[in-house]
Amino acid sequence: MSEQQGRVAVITGAASGIGRGLAEHAGQLAMRLVLADRDRAGLDELASELAARGCEVLEQVTDVSREQDLIALRDAALARFGGIDLLFNNAGVMQTGASWELSEAQWRRMLDINLLGVTNGLRVFVPTLLAQDRPAHIVNTASLAGLLASPFLAAYTVTKQAVVALSEVLHHELAALGAPIGVSVLCPGPVASRIMASDQAGGGAAAALGAQLAQSIRQGMPAAELAAQVFAAIDDKRFWILPHPDFKPALQARTQSILDETNPVFLLADL
Ligand SMILES: NC(=O)c1ccc[n+]([C@@H]2O[C@H](COP(=O)([O-])OP(=O)(O)OC[C@H]3O[C@@H](n4cnc5c(N)ncnc54)[C@H](O)[C@@H]3O)[C@@H](O)[C@H]2O)c1
């Protein structure tokens, strides 16, 4: 019997890709599921599939960039299941484009969803988790882009590096309080998903990066494989989740270049 059986998982961006993989894995562990996404049709399809397998599921259309949506999600989860054990702040979108070409609206969309979606999740859910005074765990989905900078990916990189920083701060804060709440930050490389459909792609030099990214995501790690790694990390109470070890030499080289104060070299192009 899994130690997660019967526990309640809230997953944002559940209707597709990584979120869907997490939901299906949690369903296999007989967790009770709170599925949130702004894609109603995708949510309906996943919820029916999981319910048909005997899972207890609550689905709620939610836009993570709207605090009131997350408050309604939390209240619905508590009304239905009486508590929350796992929170996955996972919803996110893509934006390619040169730093100086992205419009203010494109920057705001990325900040609103990829960063404020997570800060909203924390503001709304952490007080509930603290008040429950029982073990809980939060997983924030960042990206490899949260650790390494790629050209023509400015807005995505900025939001994901912010999510890594936020998660590390949160980890220290909860530890300082002695709260029984673990934190993980998920930093995957390419995972098969529909994220490139959310890219408001421009043209020019960024187009080549967009095409390369789309190709590696098409051939990326299956979401089911990623989800198994995420749940293993939760069981281990591990903060860093880096499911693509091929990228570690680039991360090591970046860290060394900071310590040596040498100029950044973009190494991911060779991978
Ligand atoms: N796929 C990858 O290679 C990869 C790698 C690293 C990190 N990530 C991150 O993983 C997370 C999930 O992305 P994915 O790859 O599964 O993409 P996806 O597009 O397949 O799934 C993302 C889901 O989030 C939902 N969503 C988007 N904006 C939302 C909002 N404002 N409110 C609620 N739901 C919203 C979408 O409807 C979709 O169902 C994202 O944060 C992404 O940045 C993905």
Side-chain angles (χ1 to χ4, degrees), residues 23-266:
E24 288 177 340
H25 191 95
Q28 285 160 16
L29 298 176
M31 297 191 76
R32 294 180 290 165
L33 301 169
V34 181
L35 307 178
D37 203 291
R38 63 180 179 185
D39 170 9
R40 181 185 295 278
L43 264 189
D44 283 348
E45 192 212 313
L46 175 64
S48 318
E49 175 202 311
L50 290 167
R53 284 199 235 142
C55 298
E56 277 190 75
V57 182
L58 168 69
E59 59 168 312
Q60 179 134 332
V61 175
T62 305
D63 180 341
V64 296
S65 68
R66 293 161 50 95
E67 182 186 44
Q68 61 269 38
D69 282 17
L70 286 162
I71 292 171
L73 179 70
R74 177 201 60 200
D75 292 348
L78 292 176
R80 171 81 181 269
F81 295 128
I84 292 157
D85 303 289
L86 288 186
L87 170 65
F88 293 92
N89 287 310
N90 170 74
V93 286
M94 174 55 69
Q95 179 66 61
T96 56
S99 309
W100 60 92
E101 286 176 352
L102 297 171
S103 68
E104 186 180 351
Q106 287 173 326
W107 275 104
R108 287 200 189 284
R109 179 180 80 112
M110 294 303 283
L111 291 165
D112 282 348
I113 299 173
N114 287 12
L115 177 55
L116 297 189
V118 181
T119 61
N120 287 340
L122 298 181
R123 188 178 330 98
V124 169
F125 283 94
V126 171
T128 302
L129 301 183
L130 286 170
Q132 289 177 159
D133 198 25
R134 70 182 203 222
H137 201 95
I138 300 167
V139 179
N140 294 331
T141 302
S143 166
L144 190 70
L147 303 168
L148 292 168
S150 295
F152 309 112
L153 209 56
Y156 189 74
T157 302
V158 165
T159 59
K160 292 303 183 178
Q161 301 224 351
V163 170
V164 170
L166 173 65
S167 304
E168 216 170 335
V169 168
L170 177 69
H171 168 84
H172 292 317
E173 289 168 342
L174 293 172
L177 293 179
I181 305 172
V183 179
S184 298
V185 66
L186 173 58
C187 300
V191 179
S193 84
R194 296 205 299 241
I195 194 159
M196 293 310 287
S198 65
D199 184 19
Q200 299 176 351
L209 179 270
Q212 190 193 339
L213 211 53
Q215 158 108 340
S216 51
I217 287 172
R218 263 197 305 278
Q219 300 167 344
M221 178 182 283
E225 190 180 325
L226 182 80
Q229 292 203 37
V230 172
F231 276 86
I234 294 170
D235 287 346
D236 293 348
K237 301 185 171 47
R238 177 152 44 87
F239 177 81
W240 296 107
I241 312 178
L242 275 62
H244 292 77
D246 290 359
F247 293 107
K248 286 188 178 177
L251 179 56
Q252 192 154 27
R254 175 185 186 247
T255 307
Q256 195 58 51
S257 98
I258 296 171
L259 295 172
D260 294 344
E261 300 178 55
T262 56
N263 287 357
V265 176
F266 181 59

